[in-house]
Amino acid sequence: MLVLGIESSCDETGVALYNTDHGLRSHALFSQISMHAEYGGVVPELASRDHVRRVIPLIRQVMTDAGVSREDIDGVAYTAGPGLMGALMVGAMVGRSLAFAWQKPAVAVHHMEGHLLAPMLEDNPPAFPFVALLVSGGHTQLVQVKGLGQYELLGESLDDAAGEAFDKTAKLLGLPYPGGPELARMAEQGTPGRFRFTSPMIDRPGMDFSFSGLKTAVRHAVTRLDREPTAEDKADIALAFQSAVVRALMIKCRRALDHTGYDTLLVAGGVSANTALRVALDDMVKERQARVYYPGLAFCTDNGAMIAYAGAQRLLAGETQAPAVTLKARWPLVELTEPGAAA
Ligand code: KG4
Ligand code: ZN
């Protein structure tokens, strides 16, 4: 089965073709980062308008790259939430319209289910069940995953998401938008031990997170310097901040493995690209003879491949959906169910 996937929930237009027998056939992405950079964050109306400009050319491109025509496509998957409503609308309308014109099924995909399944695009993918750590710009969640659509929330951030904390801290340090990857790069130059921030919530039971206090601790550290931070100050602070976040994530992942008795951990979402996080989790699972799986670097942040993959799995499992467009700006992952037929 060959599925066209369209992602347009935020500031990236992603399109891909996934074949359930042969894997990913082609994918293309247009990032709006440079457009939003001058505003220091995503401007929703600009995002929607740019998705309109990009989506059709990208669809043409992936079809040409894969050498397929419309007759070869068995279904269309699009992101239906969570995300920016206007941005979601673009991908959904184009996806539904193409499916209608081509007389093929369309399937609405949950953006975070897309992220969660992204490691399945790699060679030697993990098998159910597993613990998933979802770390993106909008979400930080630990999920017990028993199968497709069988998600139980083990813990989540009570305030900022991990990616959001990276971005806000980067802004505090005067790094350009989007700060997460910039801050991580800066941390590589940092001297360990000069600054120390306590990892939030690790002394409390449970698997919830909190990152907003850390951002405040960084602000205080900058104030205490009593001068414009130098590049060296910034690198040292970045390293201390990143270490505190990584430690909190690692400890809660370990608790989640203990709690479920599972020996497989999966990490996905933008922050799963972070090298320090990968090193810490690799070490943690090695100690307990468990395994950890990540998406390829191109599929950590938003992309069309994960949406094509998630949609293909649901279509393959027999899911059918009513021919209506229902979008949700907010949509808890745990509301999803196993693939099924539309009411
Ligand atoms: O999954 P994603 O593309 O978008 C959402 O669904 O939110 O995640 C984007 C987030 C941003 O906050 C970005 O700063 C963060 O992922 N991010 C990183 C790294 N690469 C992306 N954070 C830390 N280290 C990185 N290498
Ligand atoms: Zn995302």
Side-chain angles (χ1 to χ4, degrees), residues 129-132 142-147 150-154 259-262:
F130 49 75
V131 167
L142 268 166
V143 187
Q144 181 169 3
V145 181
K146 293 183 178 158
Q150 296 177 265
Y151 309 127
E152 265 168 55
L153 190 66
L154 298 170
H259 174 85
T260 55
Y262 293 172

Side-chain angles (χ1 to χ4, degrees), residues 7 9-10 111-112 115 136-139 269-270 300-303 306:
E7 155 64 33
S9 67
C10 190
H111 181 78
M112 295 312 292
H115 274 302
S136 71
H139 295 79
C300 291
T301 44
D302 294 347
N303 64 86
M306 67 187 197

